[in-house]
Amino acid sequence: MKTLPHPHIPVFASEGGTLRAKSLRDYLLELREVYLSYAPVPPVTLYVLSERDWRSHLPYPYGLPFQRAEGGRLFLYAPLTYPERLLHRFREVLLPLGPPPMEIPAFLDLNLGHEYAHALQVAWRLRTGARWLDEFLANYLFLLGLKRARPDLLQGLLEMCLYLSDLEPEKRSLSTYERRRGDLKSALWFQAQFTLKAQELLETKGDSLLKACLEAAPLDRKKGHGLLLALDPELKAWFAAFGLKGAP
């Protein structure tokens, strides 16, 4: 395991992963500069792991980047390479839509920024305990960082999400989204919906939501939902479409 010290994003990389790890770290550091203007950003340790190292350290299937918090510390995990079995799952799901506007590995690498946003939610006490709401807020925070640090990447992400929004999952209720795991089509469709709606909110309200969330922290389900509706009452109709008519 190679160690790449850094005060803000220290990295541990499997053999052969140094260049990839540096590239991913540079990307996250660009986002970090945006977030620093809102609140202190703690260190987040990045692991870029081969399948063997991943399996020896983690209980999760190899492939998808994710965020983890443990003992007051924040971690991000990314694969050294994306396994063919994972890419095959994506290709199967996307086949009815035709060729995607972005290569799947590039899309997954881009979404490491989304996982970084989850880490900041933990650090800033913005986790609500509701999966759908945490994902929506993470998308908003991620888009805010991309818009200011890498607008070129933001455009690519939005094009990909427009493409993914044409998927047709069997279940489209947020209650189902809260319960189900492992349904890739549903997960991609919901993330696309959250991303596109968060982009609309960012365009009309700017960073007002983040400022309101930071002021109200720590968040919970009721407080987070209330902040969204206070900022944009028209979101009530959008939530209702997902079966949230009785949401607090």
Side-chain angles (χ1 to χ4, degrees), residues 139-227:
N139 274 299
Y140 168 83
L141 185 56
F142 175 37
L143 292 174
L144 176 62
L146 276 184
K147 181 178 181 180
R148 297 187 181 178
R150 294 296 305 270
D152 56 322
L153 296 180
L154 173 61
Q155 185 58 38
L157 176 66
L158 295 176
E159 290 175 3
M160 187 67 173
C161 287
L162 281 171
Y163 166 85
L164 293 174
S165 68
D166 285 335
L167 288 170
E168 297 184 354
E170 293 181 7
K171 304 291 185 180
R172 301 189 180 205
S173 71
L174 288 177
S175 60
T176 300
Y177 179 77
E178 288 288 313
R179 294 192 304 268
R180 296 181 70 174
R181 297 292 186 271
D183 185 340
L184 182 59
K185 181 188 293 187
S186 177
L188 289 172
W189 184 81
F190 272 105
Q191 285 295 340
Q193 302 302 322
F194 295 159
T195 300
L196 295 173
K197 181 55 68 172
Q199 174 64 11
E200 289 181 20
L201 195 62
L202 193 60
E203 289 178 348
T204 57
K205 305 296 182 179
D207 60 4
S208 300
L209 177 59
L210 176 55
K211 290 178 177 177
C213 287
L214 289 170
E215 185 175 347
L219 296 187
D220 56 25
R221 179 192 299 257
K222 184 175 181 179
K223 192 185 294 185
H225 189 256
L227 287 173

Side-chain angles (χ1 to χ4, degrees), residues 24-40:
L24 292 176
R25 179 172 66 185
D26 289 345
Y27 164 55
L28 296 176
L29 287 172
E30 289 182 286
L31 298 178
R32 181 180 183 275
E33 287 301 310
V34 176
Y35 302 134
L36 275 174
S37 62
Y38 294 97

Side-chain angles (χ1 to χ4, degrees), residues 205 209 212 223-235 239:
K205 305 296 182 179
L209 177 59
K223 192 185 294 185
H225 189 256
L227 287 173
L228 280 174
L229 293 185
L231 186 65
D232 186 354
E234 293 184 5
L235 281 172
F239 290 135

